[in-house]
């Protein structure tokens, strides 16, 4: 049985995830790196949401990150942010907050 995690995929190998993971860790929700079969960032995030026991998925490339939720339409992710340290930290927190059902941090 899978442990409950937010599924994350890196679209490019050199993509840095540490700030994203720190944000999730601050909210005490684990993330897990998974492979993906998509070339589109939004489709990849949705694929991860479908895989995640927590129904939350994230896809990241060198420029952007996408947070998706299983219950949303595939082409309508919850957040699309620039890939920088501050935005990635907040995105990680918001992914965890989505799982916990508490209000989002709005400084994305």
């Amino acid at each position: 049985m899978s442990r409950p995690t937010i599924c994350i995929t890196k679209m490019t190998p050199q993509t840095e995830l540490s700030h994203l993971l720190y944000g999730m860790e601050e909210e005490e929700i684990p993330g897990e790196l998974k492979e993906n079969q998509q070339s589109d960032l939004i489709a990849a995030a949705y694929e991860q949401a479908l895989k995640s026991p927590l129904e939350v998925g994230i896809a990241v490339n060198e420029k952007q990150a996408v947070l998706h939720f299983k219950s949303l339409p595939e082409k309508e992710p919850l957040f699309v942010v620039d890939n920088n340290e501050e935005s990635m930290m907040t995105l990680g927190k918001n992914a965890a907050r989505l799982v916990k059902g508490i209000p989002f941090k709005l400084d994305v």
Side-chain angles (χ1 to χ4, degrees):
M1 185 166 146
S2 297
R3 72 177 203 176
T5 59
I6 294 170
C7 292
I8 305 162
T9 192
K10 295 194 315 185
M11 303 298 285
T12 49
Q14 68 274 20
T15 302
E16 176 59 46
L17 296 179
S18 60
H19 289 87
L20 175 74
L21 296 172
Y22 294 150
M24 293 167 52
E25 188 177 299
E26 277 189 20
E27 296 286 340
E28 302 177 345
I29 300 292
E32 183 176 5
L33 197 58
K34 298 273 190 177
E35 296 292 318
N36 99 83
Q37 306 301 317
Q38 307 296 327
S39 58
D40 177 72
L41 199 58
I42 292 173
Y46 186 70
E47 177 184 310
Q48 298 310 310
L50 295 178
K51 288 180 184 178
S52 169
L54 300 175
E55 301 182 352
V56 178
I58 300 172
V60 183
N61 67 21
E62 65 280 353
K63 294 182 179 175
Q64 290 186 309
V66 175
L67 170 62
H68 221 311
F69 185 55
K70 180 180 178 180
S71 299
L72 294 174
E74 182 175 353
K75 303 286 185 205
E76 298 178 26
L78 190 56
F79 293 112
V80 178
V81 301
D82 290 336
N83 185 345
N84 61 57
E85 292 178 5
E86 187 177 338
S87 293
M88 294 297 284
M89 179 84 90
T90 301
L91 189 71
K93 289 178 184 178
N94 283 338
R97 286 169 168 253
L98 176 60
V99 169
K100 293 162 72 172
I102 62 175
F104 296 125
K105 292 229 165 246
L106 299 178
D107 54 340
V108 175

